[in-house]
Amino acid sequence: MYYGLSQAQIDLQKRARRIATTLIAPNAAEVDRNEQYPWGNVNALRDAGFMGMTIPKRYGGSGLSFLDAAVVIEEMAKVCGVTGRIAVEANMGAISAVMQYGTEEQRRLAAELVLGGDKPAICITEPEAGSAASEMTTRADKRGNQYVINGKKHWITGGGVSRFHLIFARVFDQSGGECGIGGFIAIRDEDPGLEVGEREPTMGLRGIPETEIMFNDLVIDKSRVLLPPSGFRRGFGELMNAYNAQRVGAGTVALGLAAGAYEHGRDYTLEREQFGRPIAEFQGLQWMLADMSTQLEAARLMIYSAARSRGANDSPFPDANAAAQSKLFASEMAIKVTNDALQLFGAKGYSRNAPLERIVRDARMFTIGGGTAQILRTVIATRLLDRKFPQTRDGYSNLSSSSVVKKPNLKAI
Ligand code: FAD
């Protein structure tokens, strides 16, 4: 398949592949078993220049593109989903938002931490505000030149290991008037009031903690507000544009996991014999492999295209539609392809001694985190139909109270 990669990108891919297979792959099963954050892998990423490679050169980064980063992330995820995710968040998302909208001081701070090996945490989701992110209740109250933040987030990737936090909160001015949603930069262990709560026992990607993060009178100086050009009122949308890059990154990890699973599966069919012949000689399995590889190629082309794309109005970030479509396709493809690869292994695929069950568990995440498959479809439909569809009940009429779905009593189930 022709991907249109430059020679420099092909060289970067080769280098990433070498590092992934020699330094990262040997730890992947252990990272999953121990559920420990892989600091050794982080050091390998840092030493290779893969932490903060999209940071501009004037802040010490390599000034590489999102596509360059995607090429590296795919290689990492092929052998270790956790390391792939670390590479995403060290190059896309919070760091991209700061590099685009941050002050000089904020950029230097973020660059120093990330280039030193810190994977930033992005704090949006709350117990009662998941897909409906803008319904967040975490608040930032202005007090003179500072903001006081109170509230609770959950499912924050890197809780307890990340130091740089980009926190989204509802902003209120001195007299209590609501101003919109803003981004605030806090550093764990430096800014009192940022506390790490319970860790989720996750299905996969177990080497990265997903935790609650609480803010108890966390005081953030005005200089740590990440203010996009539209200010607080419309700034949430602008800040979320940076998330389009992270979405492409998440899709890339799904792609890498599926590509790794496919390669394991393909190799196994050549080696495993039944009925006196390699199982690769059975047409049923040949067609499975053909379908898997076709799906992978389609996802890769979409991801690379999304990584190259740019949104409207000279946005430095990938186009929202391309990001949503590529993540949607890659995440659903990864669930199918990793499961098919497990099938090729028969019982061995079901054993924790082989990597397939880990890869299947890891891949399951990507239709949920970073915009669910359903929400991404809504994003895509909004673009296709050039209309914004309100998801709240505002505007719905004749909804009798008896038709309102009651909250289930989970304790009784
Ligand atoms: P809900 O919003 O409660 O959705 C439940 C179901 O309803 C889903 O299937 C959803 O698709 C569907 N649904 C909801 N609304 C609609 C609608 N309007 N139309 C159709 N279907 C709908 N968040 C962060 O802020 N920072 C992080 O670092 C982070 N990391 C994460 C890592 C992992 C491993 C996971 C699993 C999640 C992470 N999240 C993070 C949270 C993630 O972004 C949310 O889980 C996601 O936005 C969905 O929210 P929810 O889980 O509350 O699901």
Side-chain angles (χ1 to χ4, degrees):
M1 201 63 73
Y2 176 70
Y3 303 120
L5 296 181
S6 66
Q7 190 53 49
Q9 285 165 334
I10 292 166
D11 293 344
L12 180 67
Q13 188 177 48
K14 281 190 193 144
R15 191 162 70 85
R17 190 167 298 165
R18 200 174 55 247
I19 290 167
T21 50
T22 56
L23 299 179
I24 308 297
N27 311 324
E30 192 59 14
V31 166
D32 179 62
R33 251 193 312 272
N34 284 347
E35 305 194 17
Q36 298 291 322
Y37 191 66
W39 285 110
N41 292 0
V42 172
N43 292 341
L45 290 175
R46 187 200 54 205
D47 295 347
F50 295 157
M51 298 290 286
M53 60 187 149
T54 57
I55 293 176
K57 285 187 177 157
R58 66 180 184 283
Y59 301 110
S62 309
L64 295 181
S65 67
F66 293 131
L67 179 59
D68 297 324
V71 161
V72 170
I73 292 162
E74 184 184 346
E75 294 306 320
M76 297 303 147
K78 260 190 201 169
V79 301
C80 176
V82 164
T83 308
R85 283 192 77 210
I86 294 170
V88 171
E89 298 197 7
N91 291 290
M92 298 161 162
I95 188 68
S96 318
V98 175
M99 289 301 146
Q100 179 61 23
Y101 302 121
T103 62
E104 201 58 22
E105 191 192 335
Q106 292 171 355
R107 290 178 191 173
R108 290 195 188 286
L109 172 71
E112 189 189 323
L113 282 166
V114 173
L115 293 167
D118 187 47
K119 176 211 83 62
I122 187 157
C123 306
I124 303 171
T125 307
E126 299 181 359
E128 301 304 326
S131 299
S134 59
E135 288 177 10
M136 66 180 65
T137 56
T138 294
R139 55 186 293 148
D141 287 278
K142 190 158 196 296
R143 297 279 177 268
N145 278 336
Q146 296 174 324
Y147 288 85
V148 181
I149 303 189
N150 281 287
K152 178 178 172 179
K153 304 284 178 180
H154 76 168
W155 284 98
I156 304 309
T157 304
V161 295
S162 297
R163 294 202 60 221
F164 188 98
H165 287 64
L166 178 58
I167 302 158
F168 286 80
R170 199 168 284 289
V171 185
F172 295 87
D173 64 21
Q174 205 89 22
S175 50
E178 198 176 332
C179 315
I181 291 176
F184 297 83
I185 294 168
I187 311 298
R188 181 178 58 82
D189 289 347
E190 250 176 48
D191 294 316
L194 189 159
E195 285 154 31
V196 179
E198 289 280 304
R199 178 174 177 172
E200 284 291 337
T202 56
M203 173 182 178
L205 298 163
R206 295 183 181 175
I208 302 191
E210 304 291 342
T211 74
E212 297 170 330
I213 301 278
M214 277 86 74
F215 314 112
N216 294 315
D217 288 334
L218 167 67
V219 177
I220 298 291
D221 191 79
K222 200 172 99 199
S223 63
R224 291 273 191 85
V225 178
L226 182 60
L227 202 58
S230 309
F232 289 133
R233 194 54 66 191
R234 287 182 44 239
F236 185 45
E238 277 172 342
L239 288 174
M240 290 305 283
N241 272 337
Y243 214 57
N244 289 330
Q246 189 160 340
R247 237 167 223 171
V248 176
T252 311
V253 179
L255 167 68
L257 284 164
Y262 160 78
E263 286 175 14
H264 283 301
R266 182 200 56 202
D267 295 351
Y268 186 70
T269 61
L270 291 165
E271 158 194 313
R272 170 76 172 163
E273 292 194 0
Q274 284 296 281
F275 301 98
R277 52 207 293 221
I279 59 172
E281 290 184 8
F282 300 119
Q283 195 179 43
L285 303 193
Q286 292 164 11
W287 286 11
M288 275 173 76
L289 286 168
D291 284 348
M292 289 158 77
S293 118
T294 305
Q295 296 283 301
L296 275 167
E297 292 295 358
R300 188 172 290 117
L301 289 170
M302 286 181 81
I303 293 279
Y304 286 8
S305 164
R308 287 185 172 106
S309 73
R310 290 295 171 267
N313 306 324
D314 294 328
S315 167
F317 303 116
D319 174 64
N321 198 50
Q325 287 187 324
S326 62
K327 185 194 172 237
L328 173 63
F329 187 81
S331 59
E332 293 188 341
M333 175 281 296
I335 291 173
K336 170 97 178 84
V337 167
T338 56
N339 270 283
D340 283 351
L342 186 150
Q343 187 69 22
L344 294 173
F345 274 78
K348 207 173 180 184
Y350 197 65
S351 167
R352 278 185 275 152
N353 287 330
L356 268 300
E357 66 84 32
R358 162 173 54 85
I359 301 174
V360 165
R361 283 187 285 107
D362 285 357
R364 187 62 189 83
M365 195 283 273
F366 294 90
T367 58
I368 303 172
T372 66
Q374 291 70 35
I375 292 298
L376 294 183
R377 283 188 166 85
T378 301
V379 169
I380 296 161
T382 300
R383 180 69 74 88
L384 296 180
L385 301 167
D386 196 22
R387 243 162 263 196
K388 199 156 171 51
F389 300 101
Q391 302 294 306
T392 63
R393 283 189 175 152
D394 295 349
Y396 281 66
S397 55
N398 298 331
L399 192 68
S400 76
S401 57
S402 61
S403 69
V404 173
V405 181
K406 296 253 169 23
K407 266 193 174 177
N409 180 355
L410 291 176
K411 283 200 184 116
I413 292 175

